[in-house]
């Protein structure tokens, strides 16, 4: 019976060693999980920062495009105004030339 008692102690010792080994495996898995969760959170934060940077860059590009559009509109107006001024000047010169021809033309009455 003493041998049976010793076998029981040995069996309990094996169970204890197996339990301790499982606890160590669990501790390693917990550490790995914590590291993976931290890496995931870091990746999420980087993605948020990247999204914010991308949005800021996109907003900057949109603002620059708006500025370019405003300048283009100003140039279009300036060109249209210049063309209109040239057309008015040409019309005035044509009218002046036509008036001068009429003034210079003989009336035909002085025969």
């Amino acid at each position: 019976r003493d041998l049976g008692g010793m076998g029981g102690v040995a069996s309990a010792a094996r169970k204890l060693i197996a339990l301790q080994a499982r606890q160590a495996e669990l501790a390693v898995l917990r550490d790995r999980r914590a590291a993976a969760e931290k890496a995931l959170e870091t990746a999420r934060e980087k993605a948020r920062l990247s999204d914010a940077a991308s949005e800021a860059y996109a907003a900057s590009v949109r603002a620059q495009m708006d500025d370019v559009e405003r300048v283009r509109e100003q140039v279009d107006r300036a060109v249209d105004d210049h063309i209109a001024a040239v057309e008015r000047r040409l019309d005035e010169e044509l009218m002046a030339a036509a008036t001068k021809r009429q003034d210079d033309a003989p009336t035909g009455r002085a025969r």
Side-chain angles (χ1 to χ4, degrees):
R1 291 201 183 254
D2 286 332
L3 291 177
M6 291 301 281
V9 170
S11 175
R14 281 193 301 273
K15 288 180 183 179
L16 180 60
I17 291 170
L19 180 61
Q20 288 173 337
R22 285 195 181 116
Q23 286 176 335
E25 289 173 5
L26 284 175
V28 168
L29 291 175
R30 283 188 192 111
D31 290 345
R32 285 183 185 166
R33 183 176 68 189
E37 287 174 352
K38 184 173 182 176
L40 180 60
E41 184 53 38
T42 300
R44 285 181 179 148
E45 184 61 25
K46 284 182 180 179
R48 281 191 289 270
L49 292 174
S50 177
D51 288 348
S54 293
E55 183 54 36
Y57 177 73
S60 171
V61 169
R62 284 191 298 272
Q64 289 174 1
M65 289 172 56
D66 291 346
D67 290 345
V68 168
E69 182 62 21
R70 275 192 294 278
V71 169
R72 187 192 65 75
E73 289 171 355
Q74 290 171 351
V75 168
D76 285 351
R77 281 193 300 274
V79 167
D80 290 346
D81 291 348
H82 181 72
I83 289 171
V86 169
E87 288 174 342
R88 279 192 306 273
R89 204 170 326 128
L90 284 173
D91 286 345
E92 290 168 0
E93 289 175 10
L94 287 172
M95 292 293 281
T99 303
K100 184 173 180 354
R101 265 188 261 134
Q102 285 178 355
D103 292 346
D104 290 347
T107 58
R109 293 186 196 151
R111 269 194 207 178

